[in-house]
Amino acid sequence: MDTHIASLAQAMLAYEAGCPQRAHHLLKVWSFARIIASGEGLEDHQRRLIEAAALVHDIGIRPSLEKYGSSAGPYQEKEGPAKARSMLEELGFPQTQVDRICYLVGHHHTYHAIDGIDYQILVEADFLVNIFEEPMDQPAARSIGEKIFKTSTGLKLLTELYL
C-alpha cells in the first residue's frame, strides 16, 4: 500500500476517534473505491487519488455538526474541503491531487455534475455503503443504480449485493 494512503488512513481514523460509525463508513467506502478502481483498470496514480478521496470524503461531517447541528450533504460539501486540504497538505500529498480531492469532497453529494472517473467511483462506492447503512429497500437501490451507477464494476457490485 502507498505510504501516503496508509498515513492518510491512520490520520482519518484518529480524526474520527470516538465515532466508530464514521470510521467504519470511511473504511468501507475506501474498500469499495479500491475494488471499483482496480476493476475498471485505472492506473496507479488514479487509484491513489480515488483512495485518498474515499478516505476523506466525509471529513466535513464533524465541522458541520459543530457549526450547523446537522451533517446534511450540503454542509459536508461546504465544510469538508478545508479540513481535507489541511490534512492532505500536512501529509505531503502533491498539490494537484490535493486540489482534485478537495473538489471531490466538496461535491460528493452532488450527483448531476459528475465530471470524471474519480468522481464517479467515489459516488458509487459511497452509495454501496449507504444503501446498507441507511438501509434502503431494493426498489430504491435499483433506482440509484439506474440513475447514478456507470462503471461496470460498480454495477456488478450493486447487483450482487442488493438486487
Side-chain angles (χ1 to χ4, degrees):
M1 178 187 323
D2 179 271
T3 57
H4 278 118
I5 297 298
S7 296
L8 182 58
Q10 291 173 347
M12 280 303 299
L13 291 173
Y15 179 80
E16 295 296 1
C19 189
Q21 298 89 343
R22 286 198 302 265
H24 282 257
H25 177 82
L26 74 90
L27 291 173
K28 289 185 276 187
V29 172
W30 175 39
S31 295
F32 279 119
R34 288 178 61 150
I35 292 166
I36 298 169
S38 178
E40 296 301 302
L42 274 71
E43 296 181 19
D44 287 343
H45 72 279
Q46 292 173 301
R47 282 187 293 179
R48 282 191 297 275
L49 186 140
I50 291 165
E51 287 186 44
L55 285 166
V56 299
H57 78 283
D58 278 344
I59 198 168
I61 289 177
R62 186 179 304 264
S64 295
L65 289 170
E66 292 168 358
K67 192 170 185 178
Y68 308 104
S70 170
S71 64
Y75 297 138
Q76 290 181 44
E77 290 181 339
K78 182 177 180 179
E79 299 299 324
K83 288 285 188 187
R85 181 172 302 281
S86 174
M87 185 178 288
L88 293 164
E89 287 176 348
E90 183 177 314
L91 292 171
F93 277 78
Q95 195 60 49
T96 56
Q97 286 186 0
V98 171
D99 292 342
R100 181 61 178 173
I101 293 164
C102 289
Y103 175 83
L104 295 173
V105 170
H107 292 84
H108 77 280
H109 285 286
T110 303
Y111 310 123
H112 65 276
I114 295 174
D115 68 354
I117 190 69
D118 50 2
Y119 193 162
Q120 183 66 44
I121 290 172
L122 177 60
V123 167
E124 290 181 14
D126 199 21
F127 266 118
L128 286 169
V129 177
N130 288 339
I131 290 168
F132 175 75
E133 289 179 349
E134 289 192 7
M136 294 179 203
D137 61 19
Q138 194 175 60
R142 185 176 312 282
S143 177
I144 288 167
E146 291 169 358
K147 293 175 184 170
I148 304 292
F149 280 62
K150 304 280 187 260
T151 70
S152 59
T153 308
L155 284 164
K156 183 175 189 248
L157 289 167
L158 176 73
T159 300
E160 290 173 349
L161 292 172
Y162 303 112
L163 304 180

